Amino acid sequence: MVLPAKQGKCNTWGWSLETKIWLLECFNNFFIPLLPLETSPPLPAPENVEVYSYNFQSLLRWSPVPVENGSVLYTAQYRTRSYDTWSGLGCAQSPRTWCSFPPELRRRRWTVLLRVRAELGTRASPWALTPPFVAQSNTTLGPPRVNNVSASPDSLLISVSPLFPPEPGDLLQYLVSYWENSTSATEKKLSESKTLFQLGNLKESTLYCFSIRVRLKVYSGHLLEGQPSVPECHRTALSEATRAGFIVPLSVLALVLVNLVVAALLCLWKKHQQIKFWAQPPLQIPSHFEEFLRNPGSAGLEELYLPAEEEPQALVLGAGSGQEGEDPSPNTSRDRAATEGPPQ
């Protein structure tokens, strides 16, 4: 419920209704914008900002800025120590979290300062700066590329190539560590400035391993050593004398084996009758044949012709029964007739 205003207090100055409306509009137009408004939270600056440089190929990288809504863009700039003016790195409002160095910034002796910030719409984060960067002091040198390895009886000839060209006034050297692949090997070192060098005084037919790294000496005297390569192993070759020492005994042994084989075959051919006689089992006459040959009139010859399952049946007569059994077989009747003799 709106209470009516008291006429005495409202009309103290004698203002009309139009005057009051005009004053209210003036207050809204001039004083309201000066009041503090609710603002968005500030955008954080990128973190873990660093320069990654490998074989003098450099780039600026950082961690992404987390936000709830929207896509964050990044702007990177650089300047040298000699100039105070910041220049674009070629990554203005880019969604990537890294930015490569432009060609004009790849001078190895320059001291470079870099910075990056995050942007989201009209909001921008503070600049995140890196420490001064000098490529010839802060880059990481990788191992050289091994192109070819040639083995001889007492040496290894190695051909390499660098992954970056040296600048005028710089000295690029190759530090070689090599050892015999055995349990009690001693590591040896060699320093070469040429891309083709030899590991000498090695044992023949022996496995040797080596690892190579580069060392760059700049004109100011600063030394920068690179990472060692993965060890490679190669075996030295056999000398001609050693190879001949192996071939002659092997040839003699092969000749002896061939002669032995020929002699064995010749002996088998000459003695094949005796060997055949020795290999056959001895013949032996069965005992019943031998008994018959000794006594030809023996009755046992008839049994040789009787089947095993047919046994001769005898006539069985009871003592007082007076009954005949089964009919006698012909052999039984013949035996009885021979016993009684001819009739009187």
Side-chain angles (χ1 to χ4, degrees):
M1 181 178 67
V2 179
L3 297 177
K6 295 182 179 181
Q7 296 295 329
K9 290 185 178 181
C10 291
N11 297 327
T12 303
W13 300 95
W15 292 343
S16 63
L17 181 60
E18 290 79 4
T19 304
K20 294 179 181 179
I21 294 174
W22 179 80
L23 291 175
L24 181 60
E25 290 178 353
C26 291
F27 180 82
N28 292 336
N29 293 334
F30 294 98
F31 294 99
I32 292 298
L34 299 179
L35 296 177
L37 300 178
E38 183 180 357
T39 59
S40 301
L43 198 63
E47 298 181 352
N48 301 322
V49 182
E50 63 177 359
V51 177
Y52 173 76
S53 181
Y54 189 79
N55 290 332
F56 299 106
Q57 301 294 324
S58 306
L59 59 86
L60 180 67
R61 62 185 184 182
W62 56 88
S63 298
V65 175
V67 294
E68 295 182 356
N69 298 317
S71 178
V72 179
L73 303 178
Y74 304 94
T75 299
Q77 297 179 349
Y78 78 94
R79 73 175 181 88
T80 62
R81 180 169 289 181
S82 304
Y83 298 94
D84 295 334
T85 303
W86 291 92
S87 303
L89 200 61
C91 302
Q93 295 184 343
S94 172
R96 298 176 303 182
T97 57
W98 57 270
C99 188
S100 300
F101 281 24
E104 63 271 12
L105 197 60
R106 294 177 182 176
R107 300 297 181 91
R108 301 177 184 179
R109 300 183 178 93
W110 283 10
T111 301
V112 184
L113 301 174
L114 301 106
R115 66 180 185 178
V116 62
R117 73 177 183 182
E119 299 174 358
L120 181 61
T122 58
R123 299 160 56 191
S125 71
W127 290 100
L129 280 77
T130 63
F133 171 77
V134 182
Q136 70 176 8
S137 302
N138 303 119
T139 193
T140 300
L141 299 181
R145 182 187 298 110
V146 179
N147 299 323
N148 186 36
V149 179
S150 300
S152 62
D154 60 347
S155 64
L156 293 176
L157 187 63
I158 304 174
S159 173
V160 299
S161 59
L163 299 181
F164 60 91
E167 289 188 346
D170 295 344
L171 177 61
L172 183 63
Q173 293 179 318
Y174 300 95
L175 305 180
V176 187
S177 300
Y178 62 99
W179 59 93
E180 183 180 344
N181 190 20
S182 60
T183 56
S184 59
T186 302
E187 184 177 279
K188 299 180 182 180
K189 296 185 180 296
L190 178 68
S191 177
E192 290 286 343
S193 57
K194 300 179 181 179
T195 58
L196 182 65
F197 49 87
Q198 186 180 52
L199 306 181
N201 298 325
L202 306 181
K203 301 177 183 178
E204 63 175 335
S205 186
T206 305
L207 190 64
Y208 284 90
C209 302
F210 63 87
S211 177
I212 309 174
R213 70 171 66 194
V214 297
R215 181 171 62 186
L216 181 65
K217 185 178 181 181
V218 299
Y219 77 102
S220 61
H222 179 74
L223 291 177
L224 187 63
E225 289 194 2
Q227 299 172 336
S229 64
V230 178
E232 292 189 25
C233 297
H234 296 268
R235 186 177 299 276
T236 55
L238 282 174
S239 63
E240 294 296 333
T242 305
R243 189 179 291 108
F246 279 110
I247 293 176
V248 171
L250 291 177
S251 302
V252 172
L253 180 60
L255 184 60
V256 170
L257 291 177
V258 170
N259 291 333
L260 290 177
V261 172
V262 172
L265 294 176
L266 186 60
C267 182
L268 289 176
W269 180 74
K270 289 183 177 181
K271 304 292 184 180
H272 69 281
Q273 294 292 345
Q274 297 181 4
I275 295 174
K276 182 178 180 181
F277 176 77
W278 293 335
Q280 291 178 350
L283 298 178
Q284 185 176 2
I285 301 175
S287 58
H288 53 281
F289 280 101
E290 186 177 359
E291 180 67 25
F292 171 74
L293 293 176
R294 290 178 180 177
N295 188 10
S298 172
L301 182 61
E302 296 180 357
E303 298 177 359
L304 296 176
Y305 300 99
L306 293 177
E309 63 274 5
E310 295 181 4
E311 295 292 338
Q313 297 179 357
L315 180 62
V316 180
L317 298 177
S321 60
Q323 298 180 356
E324 291 184 356
E326 297 181 357
D327 295 335
S329 63
N331 293 335
T332 306
S333 302
R334 187 170 56 252
D335 293 342
R336 186 170 57 252
T339 305
E340 293 177 357
Q344 298 293 331

